[in-house]
Amino acid sequence: MAGTFEQLVDPFGRHIEDLRISVTDRCNFRCTYCMPEEGMQWLNRSDVMSFEEIERLARVFVERYGVKGIRLTGGEPTVRAHLPVLVSKLSKLVGPDGPVNLAMTTNGATMRLVADPLKQAGLKRVNISLDTLDRTKFHRMTRRDELVRVLNGVEAAKDARFDPVKINAVIERGVNDDEIVALAVYGRRRDVEVRFIEFMPLDADGRWRRDLVLSEADIIGRIAEVHPLDPMERGAAPADRYRYRDTGAIVGVIASVTRPFCEQCDRVRLSAEGSM
């Protein structure tokens, strides 16, 4: 394998070590910052990559170009039927530095049904989206009344011993910024790393404005008033990470608006139909 290994470098000189794979374009939520409530045009199922096609492409990335991590995304990846079958195929891939680090980002609504099969198939890490702990607000932000199922999904992921389990929380001023401390405390109590994400201009409903963005400094400042934090060294990961002084637990912020990190990015994405 060593003789065929090549470093994958993009036109900007960035070394690619992480592959994101959208296994479907479909989603069972309609988050206000991500997609409109109605009118989505989904891909024909015949146009979505098969598991065999995904495995073949992933194998090239891992074995030939030394990609170290694969993250399954969507849409919502858990709506793809028989997902553990794909996980089992990908978890067997081995690159120059060892077995691939296989992760998934999910909204967590069906995690309690698939956590154990996914773990047994070889999935190592999960990120679960959770923007609010308030059921009414959750319904308004996702257009689905699924908060209880998502919270149960977090517990199912912990019970299945994924390591780590992380929470992704998009913060929008005037919508859920009053819950920053509550979400941080939830992470501390449940032993999960919360990663706050600045409200990005995905512009699903055409309503993004710069003044709706709460900056990393504001987010960390609010948490630190209650639980003092120390910054950690920044790597290629998208999140700036901070350690709680009292417990050593970690909280992060993805400052994609106020502190863009594109020059450090080591990721590429395969869309559901196979475009890179």
Side-chain angles (χ1 to χ4, degrees):
M1 184 182 300
T4 62
F5 170 66
E6 303 174 36
Q7 177 67 60
L8 187 61
V9 182
D10 76 2
F12 296 97
R14 296 174 296 192
H15 290 241
I16 304 303
E17 295 187 346
D18 194 283
L19 173 65
R20 306 295 173 99
I21 303 176
S22 296
V23 299
T24 179
D25 64 326
R26 298 170 187 258
C27 188
N28 47 1
F29 282 11
R30 295 293 182 273
C31 296
T32 54
Y33 53 77
C34 185
M35 62 176 62
E37 186 172 9
E38 303 291 346
M40 291 295 297
Q41 298 295 316
W42 308 117
L43 292 169
N44 291 326
R45 296 190 186 277
S46 59
D47 293 329
V48 175
M49 286 189 295
S50 67
F51 286 172
E52 290 74 21
E53 289 171 323
I54 293 174
E55 179 190 15
R56 181 180 180 186
L57 288 170
R59 184 177 299 279
V60 172
F61 276 95
V62 172
E63 296 183 355
R64 179 170 179 177
Y65 294 111
V67 162
K68 299 176 182 178
I70 293 177
R71 178 172 294 275
L72 302 181
T73 69
E76 168 50 42
T78 61
V79 305
R80 181 75 184 257
H82 311 298
L83 187 62
V85 174
L86 175 62
V87 168
S88 180
K89 293 176 180 292
L90 299 180
S91 67
K92 295 180 175 65
L93 298 179
V94 179
D97 295 322
V100 69
N101 193 335
L102 188 59
M104 181 180 73
T105 297
T106 174
N107 61 34
T110 61
M111 198 64 189
R112 71 195 189 285
L113 302 177
V114 297
D116 287 334
L118 289 173
K119 187 65 167 63
Q120 293 168 12
L123 190 69
K124 293 181 173 65
R125 302 180 290 128
V126 292
N127 288 43
I128 297 176
S129 298
L130 178 62
D131 302 327
T132 174
L133 299 170
D134 179 272
R135 183 174 177 179
T136 299
K137 193 181 298 183
F138 186 97
H139 194 179
R140 186 163 63 246
M141 294 184 73
T142 67
R143 302 185 178 107
R144 299 291 187 270
D145 185 14
E146 297 282 9
L147 176 59
V148 173
R149 289 186 179 181
V150 173
L151 293 175
N152 288 341
V154 174
E155 296 307 313
K158 286 173 55 61
D159 290 343
R161 300 187 181 280
F162 288 106
D163 185 21
V165 176
K166 295 182 181 179
I167 299 296
N168 290 347
V170 175
I171 300 300
E172 183 179 353
R173 189 185 299 276
V175 176
N176 63 339
D177 61 305
D178 59 332
E179 290 190 77
I180 290 172
V181 173
L183 285 163
V185 170
Y186 169 79
R188 285 166 55 91
R189 290 176 175 172
R190 303 311 305 148
D191 190 28
V192 295
E193 180 181 332
V194 179
R195 302 199 312 175
F196 295 95
I197 303 173
E198 291 181 349
F199 181 41
M200 294 178 286
L202 299 176
D203 223 17
D205 289 336
R207 62 182 184 83
W208 185 88
R209 300 195 316 268
R210 180 62 177 79
D211 63 303
L212 297 178
V213 178
L214 203 73
S215 71
E216 174 181 350
D218 289 333
I219 292 170
I220 291 301
R222 293 192 189 185
I223 299 171
E225 287 181 358
V226 182
H227 299 289
L229 296 163
D230 292 315
M232 300 174 63
E233 185 175 349
R234 174 69 182 269
D240 288 320
R241 304 172 80 202
Y242 299 80
R243 193 181 301 277
Y244 290 107
R245 290 179 188 170
D246 58 348
T247 67
I250 296 170
V251 64
V253 180
I254 298 178
S256 49
V257 176
T258 64
R259 295 180 61 191
F261 44 83
C262 296
E263 72 278 2
Q264 298 172 320
C265 183
D266 65 351
R267 293 155 173 76
V268 292
R269 176 182 293 273
L270 282 174
S271 67
E273 69 271 34
S275 298
M276 188 170 80

